[in-house]
Amino acid sequence: MKAWVDGALVDADRARVSVFDHGLTVGDGVFETLKVVDGVPFALTRHLARLRGSATRLGLPEPEDAVVREAVAAVLAHHDPAETARLRITVTGGPAPLGSDRGSAGPTLVVAIGPLTPWPASSALAAVPWPRNERSAVVGAKTTSYAENVVALAEAHRRGASEALVLDTRGHLSEGTGSNVFLVVGGSLLTPALSTGCLAGVTRALVLEWIGAEEAELPAAILGETEEVFLTSSTRDVHPVHAVDDLTFPAPGPVTARAMATFAARAAADADP
Ligand SMILES: Cc1ncc(COP(=O)(O)O)c(C=O)c1O
């Protein structure tokens, strides 16, 4: 297995970045996770666009598409296409002094690939007490500062769930630690608006385009009148939820089952929608 580190393809177990890298020392970086099926990364163009947006939000130089595409192609050239994989593109602030100021060495680009563990047929969610800050300086950016998500996910696991449900600071549903959330209420498909601080998920956007849903600020109490829940992410696609804390749901319910089928058919027809 190979990884790309700053312009060179290296054996994955020998891939290294500096101990002074700002991504390591202060979490100053942005990333993308893509699913690779039959050797082809899904929705690469959309992921590259979000990577540029995340970098701009952090004040990092925009990664050049051609450079990232070359790195992705180089890593995939050494990957067995029979293995469904998780591809990770990371861009950090690069080597820097040991503080929050950035250095002048320029960003670090890493592309790595690893196995994609299949998800169970459905998931349970646990609502966690720590909010997503919809007024954060880095809202909307997919940053490497994921410690809050690490803590929230560990709490979800501790409570027997496989994903956390995170609310914004005002008590609206926002997202999971690595997923967006959709609800069926009165037969209508709803998803938290971006104003709740959730990531503009690539899969979320495709569900909005291919299936249609209303983006809204949803109070947590709406779960009490919800008929179905599903998650979306690049590794989960459309993924049924059978429980949120003590509430249970059919998984998949009829709307979720239709969304799963439509998503699978559209994704199979076009790997870079
Ligand atoms: C916090 C968060 N929300 C939502 C998502 C889903 O985004 P996507 O569909 O682009 O994978 C992710 C992806 O990992 C995420 O980290």
Side-chain angles (χ1 to χ4, degrees):
M1 204 190 304
K2 300 282 187 186
W4 181 278
V5 184
D6 275 341
L9 199 60
V10 288
D11 286 336
D13 55 2
R14 291 180 164 271
R16 300 283 183 272
V17 294
S18 164
V19 294
F20 296 101
D21 194 284
H22 228 209
L24 175 69
T25 55
V26 297
D28 175 26
V30 295
F31 75 104
E32 289 295 321
T33 297
L34 295 80
K35 185 164 67 163
V36 178
V37 180
D38 298 330
V40 180
F42 181 66
L44 179 58
T45 302
R46 286 177 187 257
H47 282 281
L48 292 180
R50 188 172 61 194
L51 187 71
R52 289 195 307 274
S54 296
T56 300
R57 183 85 202 188
L58 264 65
L60 289 168
E62 266 195 7
E64 277 180 44
D65 275 15
V67 173
V68 183
R69 281 182 188 274
E70 183 193 353
V72 167
V75 169
L76 289 178
H78 291 267
H79 165 71
D80 177 359
E83 282 174 26
T84 300
R86 169 193 280 256
L87 184 84
R88 160 109 179 194
I89 304 167
T90 307
V91 176
T92 77
L98 291 169
S100 291
D101 275 329
R102 263 188 205 131
S104 55
T108 300
L109 167 65
V110 174
V111 176
I113 195 162
L116 181 59
T117 314
W119 293 100
S122 64
S123 286
L125 306 186
V128 292
W130 310 290
R132 183 68 78 234
N133 181 1
E134 72 280 0
R135 293 181 295 124
S136 158
V138 295
V139 72
K142 192 166 166 72
T143 80
T144 57
S145 306
Y146 257 33
E148 285 192 342
N149 287 332
V150 172
V151 172
L153 186 58
E155 169 67 4
H157 289 328
R158 196 187 62 76
R159 285 165 41 197
S162 60
E163 175 61 302
L165 179 60
V166 185
L167 312 187
D168 73 8
T169 65
R170 302 162 300 168
H172 301 122
L173 302 179
S174 181
E175 62 179 344
T177 62
S179 56
N180 291 108
V181 61
F182 286 76
L183 311 182
V184 180
V185 181
S188 299
L189 191 54
L190 309 174
T191 194
L194 297 181
S195 58
T196 66
C198 63
L199 187 73
V202 167
T203 323
R204 174 185 183 277
L206 290 172
V207 168
L208 289 172
E209 287 175 35
W210 290 345
I211 291 138
E214 184 190 337
E215 300 175 79
E217 294 193 336
L218 306 167
I222 202 167
L223 286 165
E225 46 187 288
T226 292
E227 292 129 31
E228 298 176 41
V229 180
F230 66 79
L231 299 175
T232 60
S233 82
S234 296
T235 59
R236 293 176 189 259
D237 296 338
V238 175
H239 187 74
V241 169
H242 62 261
V244 179
D245 295 332
D246 295 335
L247 299 168
T248 56
F249 303 96
V255 177
T256 304
R258 276 199 300 278
M260 291 168 77
T262 302
F263 191 93
R266 296 288 297 257
D270 184 0
D272 202 11

